[in-house]
Amino acid sequence: MSKSFNFYKGKIYFIIRVEKTMDKIRKIKVTLKSRQTLEGAGVRLKRAFGYADELLDPFLLLDDFHSDDPRDYIAGFPWHPHRGIETITYMLYGKIEHGDSLGNGGVIEAGDVQWMTAGSGIIHQEMPKKGKNDSLLWGFQLWANLPASHKMMDPKYRDVKSSQIPEVSLNENKVKVKIVSGELNGVKGPMEDIITDPEYLDVTLIPHTEFNHPINEGYNVFAYTIEGEGYFDDKKEELVGKETLVIYRDGDTVNISTLEDGVRFLLISGKPIKEPVAWRGPIVMNTNEELSIAFEEYQNGTFIKHK
Ligand code: FE2
């Protein structure tokens, strides 16, 4: 009896040790194809998600603009308010002109990122422009929530030029990663000190390649495919094609691999806020009362707090 107990005790110890040293590969919860929708003054775009979900928290929305027909985007996003969130715009091609009610303005061009913290409130417009020689517009806008403690912070713009975004090559150049925020192999992205500790990576894998990337346990992570196809966990049950959202369960590592095709995707993670979400249009607060106040202030001209 005691002999066999000792035998099992050894085995259990061994299993616990293996378990502790092995990565906990995150499994796919669900994959969702992005959906065509109309936004702003009539912009045709694809929405990867636009709802509060405990597996996407602190992120609220991801839009994919991709068209070479100016009629799909030229109407743009005229004057509108934001409060309680951050909007992160990343352009692959084309440009968006930006201006706000405080007189800030600029152009987000191919490869650039604008990390805009609306905080207590901004009123801005975002207007895509047709290029001189070609009309392709391609980019993404992500919305990240702010915790109650920071919803009414002063607004802040961080304009990051493409030349400021480092690219790291891994696995004998089979994997390339542009780091907007986060850290890889000791290389840090330009966006730091963001409250939800987000990591924002633009990752490209050539065919027959594997990429393992650590992500803090308890953080939420999703991938959004831009081009090509790949497996997004180690079960390899589904080859995920372009324009698809991959939502993950918990773990400490993501595992992505390719077969005949390469794949390019955004890999985005952050620390969940775990607070109630009250959301109407471009304003996201914790309670309906705070939402009503925000819209009332917008109507009576007291919305902007920061001068
Ligand atoms: Fe906006």
Side-chain angles (χ1 to χ4, degrees):
M1 187 75 184
S2 81
K3 227 181 186 180
S4 87
F5 175 72
N6 279 334
F7 171 76
Y8 283 114
K9 211 166 88 178
K11 258 197 157 175
I12 289 163
Y13 174 69
F14 175 73
I15 290 165
I16 290 169
R17 269 195 55 167
V18 169
E19 191 55 18
K20 272 197 167 165
T21 52
M22 264 172 51
D23 293 336
K24 291 181 203 149
I25 305 281
R26 287 177 181 251
K27 308 296 181 211
I28 296 172
K29 162 85 189 305
V30 67
T31 61
L32 299 164
K33 198 92 176 126
S34 60
R35 289 197 191 173
Q36 193 97 50
T37 182
L38 215 55
E39 259 303 339
V43 177
R44 279 163 66 88
L45 53 83
K46 285 188 170 160
R47 180 153 291 163
F49 64 95
Y51 52 89
D53 180 314
E54 61 173 19
L55 284 179
L56 292 167
D57 181 12
F59 305 105
L60 298 165
L61 175 145
L62 180 69
D63 280 347
D64 174 357
F65 320 89
H66 187 189
S67 173
D68 57 8
D69 182 351
R71 288 173 298 180
D72 285 343
Y73 59 73
I74 209 74
F77 305 88
W79 298 107
H80 59 276
H82 286 291
R83 177 179 283 176
I85 57 167
E86 301 187 279
T87 67
I88 299 109
T89 308
Y90 176 35
M91 296 302 294
L92 300 185
Y93 292 98
K95 54 181 170 185
I96 293 185
E97 280 183 14
H98 169 266
D100 78 5
S101 54
L102 296 175
N104 297 307
V107 184
I108 314 166
E109 293 187 85
D112 297 350
V113 170
Q114 185 196 60
W115 201 293
M116 193 273 288
T117 306
S120 62
I122 57 114
I123 299 171
H124 76 164
Q125 58 173 348
E126 300 156 287
M127 305 303 283
K129 295 292 166 196
K130 184 187 169 303
K132 266 191 194 132
N133 302 316
D134 81 83
S135 50
L136 179 63
L137 182 89
W138 198 358
F140 306 95
Q141 187 168 83
L142 173 72
W143 289 14
N145 205 357
L146 287 169
S149 57
H150 288 71
K151 283 201 179 288
M152 295 304 280
M153 69 186 278
D154 285 345
K156 201 165 166 182
Y157 290 97
R158 278 160 289 200
D159 289 307
V160 182
K161 289 284 161 204
S162 62
S163 58
Q164 297 171 275
I165 299 172
E167 186 177 275
V168 172
S169 293
L170 307 166
N171 199 357
E172 293 163 346
N173 288 333
K174 290 176 184 164
V175 181
K176 291 198 189 307
V177 185
K178 288 186 183 177
I179 310 170
V180 174
S181 88
E183 187 177 339
L184 192 62
N185 281 10
V187 180
K188 275 187 182 172
M191 293 304 308
E192 290 184 81
D193 306 320
I194 311 272
I195 196 80
T196 48
D197 191 25
E199 185 167 61
Y200 191 128
L201 307 176
D202 173 356
V203 186
T204 305
L205 269 67
I206 67 166
H208 302 290
T209 299
E210 191 170 356
F211 173 59
N212 284 296
H213 182 65
I215 302 214
N216 287 342
E217 261 186 286
Y219 278 33
N220 284 325
V221 57
F222 69 86
Y224 181 71
T225 51
I226 300 174
E227 288 176 304
E229 60 179 24
Y231 291 120
F232 278 76
D233 68 12
D234 57 346
K235 284 187 179 172
K236 302 187 181 185
E237 283 170 353
E238 178 196 356
L239 267 173
V240 181
K242 67 172 185 173
E243 297 174 346
T244 304
L245 173 74
V246 180
I247 302 179
Y248 285 98
R249 298 183 191 281
D250 204 8
D252 63 13
T253 302
V254 288
N255 169 274
I256 293 138
S257 57
T258 51
L259 292 176
E260 306 304 319
D261 238 344
V263 69
R264 183 179 182 185
F265 55 94
L266 303 178
L267 187 67
I268 297 174
S269 64
K271 189 179 175 182
I273 293 172
K274 298 181 179 171
E275 287 178 4
V277 174
W279 182 353
R280 200 186 309 157
I283 297 174
V284 185
M285 304 302 289
N286 296 108
T287 66
N288 283 327
E289 198 194 342
E290 289 166 341
L291 274 187
S292 302
I293 293 169
F295 280 93
E296 227 173 85
E297 289 180 350
Y298 185 53
Q299 293 306 322
N300 67 26
T302 58
F303 185 76
I304 299 295
K305 305 293 175 201
H306 179 71
K307 299 296 175 202

